[in-house]
Amino acid sequence: MTFKILLPQEIMQEGREYLESRGYQLIDGSGMEEEDIIRDIPDCDGIIVRLSKMSDRVFDAAKKLKVVARHGAGYDTVDLDSAKRHGVTVLNAPIANSMSVAELAIFYMLHCSRNFKLVQQKMLEDYYFAKLRTPKVELDGKTLGLIGVGNIGSRVALKALHGFNMKVIAYDPYKTKEQVPEGVELTDDFDRIFKESDFVSLHCPATKETFDFIGEKQLAMMKPTAYLINTARGKIVDENALYHALQSGVIAGAGVDVLKEEPFNPAHPLLGLSNIIIAPHIGAATKEATDRASLHSAIGVDEVLSGKKPSWPVPGF
C-alpha cells in the first residue's frame, strides 16, 4: 500500500527526497486555500502544511487522513480539537527554525537600539539630525526580559548573555531553573519582566490563554526607554494598546515580525509609525530553517505512518 502525502505548498528537496525514497506518493496540491485542500485531501493519508489552515471542514473532508505535520514551530492554524475528534495526529517542527528566529530577535533589538527606521527616514532630508539627534543606545549591559524560554528563547538568552553582555531575566511557568541556560534569572513575577527590562522579547505560543495577554497594563509598566520585540505570534499582543503606547511615548519602540492579520492590511495604523519595525513573518524564512522544517516534517510523517513514536508531536498528541 502506497501512502499519499498532500503538499498544498512546496517543501524543500530534502523533505521530498526523504519521503519519496521511502515509497510515499507526494501529491502537489492545486492551491493552499481551504477549498483547494478540501478538494485535494479525501484520498490522502498525510499532509504537510505551511501557510494553509487545517479547519474542521478540512478534517471532515479528509476521510483517510492520519497525520498533519506543521512545517514550523507554531500550530495555531490547526484546529486541534477537530484533529482529535477525527483521530489525526498533529506534529510540528519545534527546533527547525530556532536559530533563525533567535537571530532575528537579536536583529530587531539592534535595529531598535539604533533607531534605525527613523535614521533611514531622516538621513537624506537632514543628515545631521539622523546622525546626531536620533536617540541611540548600546545593547551592552542592558536588561533583556524573556517571556518564554523554550528552544528559541533559550537561544536568544545565550546570544544576549555571551554576545552582548546583557543581563537576562525570564518568565516561563513551564520551566525550572535547571531547564534554562546558565546565567538566566528565572522569575515567577510576570510584572517584573516589564518593569525592569530594557528589551522585552516574546517567545510563547498563541493559545487561548495568551491571546492579547500583552496589553495596556503590561506596556504601561515598561520604561519609556524600553522596546518590545515580538517574533512569536501576532495574536499575543493587543495591537491597539501597542499603537497607543508607541504613539504616546509610553515605550520607545518595537520590533515585530508578526501582526494579527497576515498578509498585512496596508492601512494598519502601526505601519505608519517611525518607532516600530515590522516584517512579514520572516523569522523562519531562511534557507537553513526552511530546509530543516521540510526534513523534520517528512520525518514526522514517516514516523506516524510507519507506526513509530513521533519525535515532535504537538502537546496533547
Side-chain angles (χ1 to χ4, degrees):
M1 175 182 176
T2 300
F3 288 119
K4 295 181 180 181
I5 311 302
L6 178 61
L7 306 176
Q9 290 181 279
E10 65 175 346
I11 63 172
M12 299 303 101
Q13 194 62 29
E14 290 88 341
R16 293 189 71 98
E17 290 177 354
Y18 188 92
L19 291 170
E20 288 173 338
S21 69
R22 287 158 174 78
Y24 293 95
Q25 181 182 352
L26 303 187
I27 308 298
D28 293 316
S30 59
M32 56 176 281
E33 301 302 328
E34 183 182 54
E35 294 302 328
D36 301 317
I37 299 176
I38 288 173
R39 180 172 57 250
D40 296 337
I41 206 169
D43 197 38
C44 292
D45 305 279
I47 182 172
I48 296 176
V49 289
R50 298 185 67 175
L51 300 180
S52 302
K53 294 182 179 181
M54 292 295 293
S55 66
D56 188 51
R57 289 186 65 223
V58 171
F59 282 109
D60 281 342
K63 303 303 182 184
K64 296 177 62 179
L65 193 66
K66 302 173 185 65
V67 58
V68 172
R70 258 290 295 127
H71 190 279
Y75 45 84
D76 51 308
T77 55
V78 180
D79 187 330
L80 300 181
D81 292 334
S82 183
K84 289 178 180 177
R85 287 198 305 271
H86 288 84
V88 178
T89 299
V90 182
L91 315 173
N92 65 340
I95 62 175
N97 64 10
S98 299
M99 182 61 73
S100 182
V101 179
E103 288 184 358
L104 190 68
I106 296 293
F107 166 82
Y108 287 140
M109 290 166 60
L110 288 166
H111 200 290
C112 287
S113 72
R114 299 305 172 101
N115 212 348
F116 200 64
K117 184 175 181 179
L118 184 59
V119 166
Q120 285 194 307
Q121 288 176 344
K122 295 293 186 180
M123 65 184 183
L124 298 182
E125 170 191 330
D126 188 334
Y127 180 89
Y128 288 105
F129 179 90
K131 176 180 174 66
L132 301 174
R133 295 177 61 191
T134 54
K136 306 171 190 69
V137 297
E138 297 177 349
L139 298 190
D140 185 84
K142 300 298 189 297
T143 297
L144 169 63
L146 298 173
I147 304 295
V149 204
N151 291 310
I152 297 170
S154 293
R155 291 181 187 272
V156 174
L158 290 170
K159 294 178 187 301
L161 286 165
H162 303 298
F164 296 95
N165 190 37
M166 299 182 79
K167 175 184 177 182
V168 180
I169 58 176
Y171 174 85
D172 191 326
Y174 303 101
K175 298 292 183 181
T176 65
K177 183 179 179 181
E178 292 71 31
Q179 292 175 312
V180 303
E182 184 177 356
V184 174
E185 183 183 349
L186 193 63
T187 178
D188 60 2
D189 185 348
F190 184 65
D191 291 351
R192 183 184 167 202
I193 300 295
F194 299 92
K195 292 175 181 177
E196 296 186 13
S197 300
D198 300 295
F199 296 85
V200 174
S201 192
L202 309 178
H203 301 285
C204 50
T207 64
K208 294 177 182 178
E209 291 73 28
T210 62
F211 182 80
D212 274 356
F213 90 134
I214 307 299
E216 182 179 357
K217 177 183 176 182
Q218 290 74 34
L219 294 168
M221 288 188 284
M222 293 175 66
K223 303 174 184 179
T225 54
Y227 299 89
L228 181 73
I229 309 296
N230 184 13
T231 55
R233 285 291 185 268
K235 293 178 181 179
I236 66 181
V237 175
D238 180 335
E239 291 176 354
N240 289 328
L242 179 60
Y243 174 81
H244 291 299
L246 291 167
Q247 187 186 48
S248 61
V250 171
I251 63 174
V256 302
D257 197 46
V258 284
L259 292 177
K260 282 190 171 74
E261 182 182 355
E262 298 177 5
F264 302 151
N265 179 350
H268 197 299
L270 284 172
L271 294 171
L273 298 178
S274 63
N275 57 344
I276 183 172
I277 174 176
I278 302 173
H281 207 158
I282 62 172
T286 62
K287 178 184 184 303
E288 295 87 348
T290 306
D291 286 346
R292 284 192 295 268
S294 291
L295 179 58
H296 291 187
S297 297
I299 290 171
V301 165
D302 178 58
E303 287 173 335
V304 172
L305 294 180
S306 60
K308 300 174 184 175
K309 182 179 179 181
S311 298
W312 303 289
V314 164
F317 290 85

